[in-house]
Structure formats: structure tokens, C-alpha cells
Amino acid sequence: MSELTSNINYLQPTNFRIVLDRKEYGNLEFFAQRFDHPAITIDAPVVSYKRIQSISLTGDNISFGDLTIEVICDEDMNSYKEMFEWLTELTEKHHNDAEKRIQVDISAIIMSSHNNKVKEFRYIDCIPTFVGPLSFQAGVSEAPVVTFEVTFKIGYFELRD
């Protein structure tokens, strides 16, 4: 049974921090601007029966969508280069550096309005599958920063206190 919350503060979309292997992917961690928590789906089988259109049964398989992180591109393009090299490494046929992990665990730490940790999403066995385009535009009065998206397939996730 669910209990009514006593905390009426709304969760702020700006109060988060991305944490992963800082040595290998420090730019992704530092320049993460936004993240989209994956969708969760249960594959519910549908059974047909006489004169009844269909009956949905309880699913027994859970699927996770993709984790997407929007990253600010720094002036030296190190954040973009880091992700590009990771993807390149995944496609190489012979992996020479046995110590470097292809999959990593990524944590998204959700912070309170007082910057205290509230919850943590821990995404396990993440592999990048997409690095989005860089969009450059001249003649804009307010020059926004250049960002790009990185999409990860995840094996599983946990929600921790």
C-alpha cells in the first residue's frame, strides 16, 4: 500500500549530477546538461478467445528504453571527442587494450532543493549507441552553447536511496 508523501516540495529538473568513470569519461560527467530516464515496458501477451476480441494477460518480460544524456560541447571539443572515440572503440574488431571497459555503469544522482542526495538511478552495463549531431548556426543574436546527445543501451537499472 502506498503512503501519502509528507514532502510537498516538487522535484526540480535541474537538481541532478551524472557520475561514471571519471578517468575515462570525465568530460561526459562534467558537461552533462540533461538526461532522460528510460521508459519501462512490460511485454503483455494478448490472447484471442471465442467471440471476445482479445484478453491481455500480465506480462513476464520487462524491457528498458534508452538512456539519453545531453552534453555541452566544450570549446576544445573534448566532450565530443571522448564519445566519438568510445563509439569507435566499440566497432574495432580487435580490442588491444584489455583493461579498458567497453560497458560502464552510470549513476544519475537526484538532489533535493538543498543539494542533498535524494535518490540515485544506477544504470548498469551501459553501452553508447548514438552520438548526436553538433549544430552550428551563424547570425544568432543570443548564441546558445553547442550541445549533442548521447544515447546508451542499458542492461538494467536500480533506484537507490
Side-chain angles (χ1 to χ4, degrees), residues 7-8 16 20 26 40 56 61 75 98 108 161:
N7 184 353
I8 58 171
F16 71 93
L20 69 156
I40 307 167
S56 294
N61 211 5
E75 193 173 57
D161 287 330

Side-chain angles (χ1 to χ4, degrees), residues 17 30 115 124 127 133 142 158:
R17 195 175 91 217
F30 183 77
N115 281 333
I124 299 164
I127 300 173
E142 289 185 29
E158 300 171 341

Side-chain angles (χ1 to χ4, degrees), residues 8-16 35 110-114:
I8 58 171
N9 293 321
Y10 299 125
L11 182 61
Q12 299 298 312
T14 56
N15 292 355
F16 71 93
F35 83 97
I110 310 303
M111 312 294 269
S112 71
S113 56
H114 295 96

Side-chain angles (χ1 to χ4, degrees), residues 106-119:
I106 299 174
S107 292
I109 299 172
I110 310 303
M111 312 294 269
S112 71
S113 56
H114 295 96
N115 281 333
N116 297 320
K117 176 182 169 183
V118 175
K119 299 282 182 197

